[in-house]
Amino acid sequence: MMLQWRIFHTLCSAGREAPKSLKAGLLFPHVLSCGHRFVWHRTKTSLPDSRERTLIAVKPDGVQRRLVGQIIQRFEQRGFRLVGLKMLQASEDLLSEHYCQLRSKPFFPILLQYMTSGPVVAMVWEGHNVVKTSRTMVGHTNPAEAQAGTVRGDFSTHVSRNVVHASDSVEGAQREIHLWFQAKDLLDWDSWDQMSTSDVTTSSAS
Ligand code: IDP
Ligand code: MG
């Protein structure tokens, strides 16, 4: 590791651009190939639910009010990974399935009307405890009861226009993700800040 650092330092002080692989290896030692003489051993234990996923959807009022960017920013900033995203005009059939537990509610027809009134931005977010944490971030169903600082608490006033959807359980999230996305449209990827946000990592050099 010391040798890599010296080479990097020498190249930089000579005004030369260090090879990308060396830079990457210094910043992210685990990316160095195993054939390299200096291998950074990393024992990583991801928290069991660090791959938990949830469905978040910006509802038609959120899209119309151009809140998509701010909502995405909150989830990125919190440390979650975006693994799927699409904008669509949701059909009544999809929404009827999505909200199947609410079919008997008196507000069901106006809910369908609201949710089909314009495009929706559907997203899948991943990370440690994402289902529970995102429900907290989104806030109470009724914006009048939602805490300031939550999406609904900051951007809405009435239950019939509450800007965003978030799955309410891990099982519910799996069902909803399957409804809104095909498996091929979801990406498995590792974010570079993962070890600072959700992985339990111990490292040693040899
Ligand atoms: P949630 O979105 O917080 O999970 P749910 O009870 O699952 O809340 O209700 C789904 C959606 O149905 C709410 O987000 C809201 O848009 C709508 N909704 C719930 N209750 C009412 C109501 O009393 N009047 C009109 N719409 C409602
Ligand atoms: Mg719900």
Side-chain angles (χ1 to χ4, degrees), residues 98-99 101-102 135 141 152 165-168 176:
H98 175 80
Y99 285 127
Q101 283 133 343
L102 301 176
R135 286 291 287 190
T141 305
R152 288 167 173 167
H165 166 82
S167 310
D168 65 3
E176 291 173 1

Side-chain angles (χ1 to χ4, degrees), residues 141-186:
T141 305
N142 182 354
E145 313 230 2
Q147 303 262 337
T150 63
V151 177
R152 288 167 173 167
D154 288 351
F155 298 124
S156 58
T157 57
H158 197 273
V159 68
S160 64
R161 294 289 181 274
N162 60 1
V163 172
V164 70
H165 166 82
S167 310
D168 65 3
S169 64
V170 173
E171 300 70 37
Q174 283 164 357
R175 185 186 75 83
E176 291 173 1
I177 290 169
H178 189 66
L179 257 180
W180 289 76
F181 285 88
Q182 296 193 324
K184 68 176 177 55
D185 295 328
L186 301 176

